[in-house]
Amino acid sequence: MKSFAFWSILCLFYACTLDNNLKTIDSPNAPIKVLINKPELEKLQLKRTEALNVGKLFKGKNDWVSALITHEDKSIRAKVRLKGDLSDHWRHEKEWSLKVKLDGDKSIYGMNRFALQRPSTRGFLNEWYLHKLLSSAGLIALKYDFIEISINGDLLPVYAIEENIHKNLPNRHNRGKGVLFKFNGDFYWRHKPGLATSFYGARITPFQEKKVKKDQVLLN
């Protein structure tokens, strides 16, 4: 109960101070600089234009472009792509949500794959608060925080950095190897009557289902 009260008070404090157009924050997290050369940036811009025309981002294997991520005194080669099904992630001229995967076993804050996005796409503090509550309850939670970010030298408003779900996530929370499940969004995009906006009608499927089906340990 004390832990819950602590995070509740802290959340209210942040809610009074966080602005989605804030350029800097008093944070121990070092800024992240993303550098994307012109040809690769043009690929992202083309993908964004396609998404704007149809109102949804359709993801493909060829969406990834090369980038260089600078953090503290390290420069790490990476692949990035646009993320987010709906336009709140990419309708702004410069403030796009990005999925990032670092080369090899390189990591930033212990994350090899993560998302960079405007806090508004995750309900401002709602997502941060959720993961703090999950963690305080001893449940599996993603790393989630706020950070300063620039893309090709342009300082953007404060972004959220969010860990991607990965196979080692249960181990980090002292769980054995197992299956992670998710609410499948197929019904939403097929516009099933009465189910399009409700997770109650969503199928529950394994995360990375194809890999799970090939893993004999998980299948048994």
Side-chain angles (χ1 to χ4, degrees), residues 11-50:
C11 181
L12 289 173
F13 171 76
Y14 269 105
C16 293
T17 58
L18 186 62
D19 182 340
N20 197 54
N21 293 313
L22 197 64
K23 291 287 186 180
T24 61
I25 51 174
D26 184 12
S27 169
N29 300 325
I32 287 178
K33 299 177 182 179
V34 182
L35 297 176
I36 308 171
N37 66 32
K38 185 176 180 180
E40 299 291 77
L41 183 61
E42 288 175 348
K43 292 179 184 178
L44 288 182
Q45 291 170 334
L46 179 60
K47 190 68 181 181
R48 174 177 175 267
T49 299
E50 292 175 357

Side-chain angles (χ1 to χ4, degrees), residues 3-15 129:
S3 179
F4 179 85
F6 169 77
W7 289 117
S8 298
I9 294 171
L10 191 59
C11 181
L12 289 173
F13 171 76
Y14 269 105
Y129 193 30

Side-chain angles (χ1 to χ4, degrees), residues 59-207:
K59 297 176 283 291
K61 293 181 179 180
N62 297 323
D63 294 345
W64 295 94
V65 303
S66 298
L68 188 68
I69 308 293
T70 300
H71 177 253
E72 294 181 332
D73 59 347
K74 299 182 296 183
S75 292
I76 306 171
R77 295 189 181 278
K79 295 288 186 180
V80 303
R81 68 165 174 81
L82 291 182
K83 75 168 291 285
D85 292 315
L86 299 180
S87 64
D88 57 333
H89 285 275
W90 29 262
R91 65 174 170 237
H92 192 278
E93 185 178 353
K94 291 184 177 181
E95 297 164 19
W96 306 340
S97 294
L98 296 175
K99 185 84 77 173
V100 180
K101 55 181 181 181
L102 304 178
D103 279 4
D105 59 355
K106 301 293 193 302
S107 66
I108 293 176
Y109 300 122
M111 296 178 285
N112 178 261
R113 294 193 177 204
F114 52 88
L116 297 169
Q117 57 214 347
R118 300 169 70 203
S120 59
T121 64
R122 286 290 187 265
F124 293 97
L125 280 164
N126 291 350
E127 191 78 8
W128 176 86
Y129 193 30
L130 170 65
H131 290 298
K132 293 300 183 185
L133 288 175
L134 291 174
S135 181
S136 67
L139 301 175
I140 292 178
L142 299 177
K143 293 180 179 179
Y144 190 94
D145 212 336
F146 301 102
I147 196 166
E148 294 178 23
I149 174 178
S150 65
I151 298 180
N152 288 351
D154 291 329
L155 180 63
L156 302 181
V158 171
Y159 260 46
I161 181 170
E162 179 181 33
E163 179 182 23
N164 283 177
I165 296 174
H166 54 87
K167 64 180 181 180
N168 293 324
L169 187 60
N171 292 336
R172 200 182 76 223
H173 292 271
N174 300 315
R175 265 82 167 176
K177 188 173 184 179
V179 181
L180 299 173
F181 291 92
K182 65 178 181 179
F183 288 104
N184 192 299
D186 288 349
F187 278 132
Y188 180 89
W189 300 116
R190 293 176 186 173
H191 300 291
K192 294 291 184 180
L195 298 176
T197 59
S198 174
F199 70 87
Y200 292 109
R203 295 185 301 116
I204 298 177
T205 57
F207 177 75

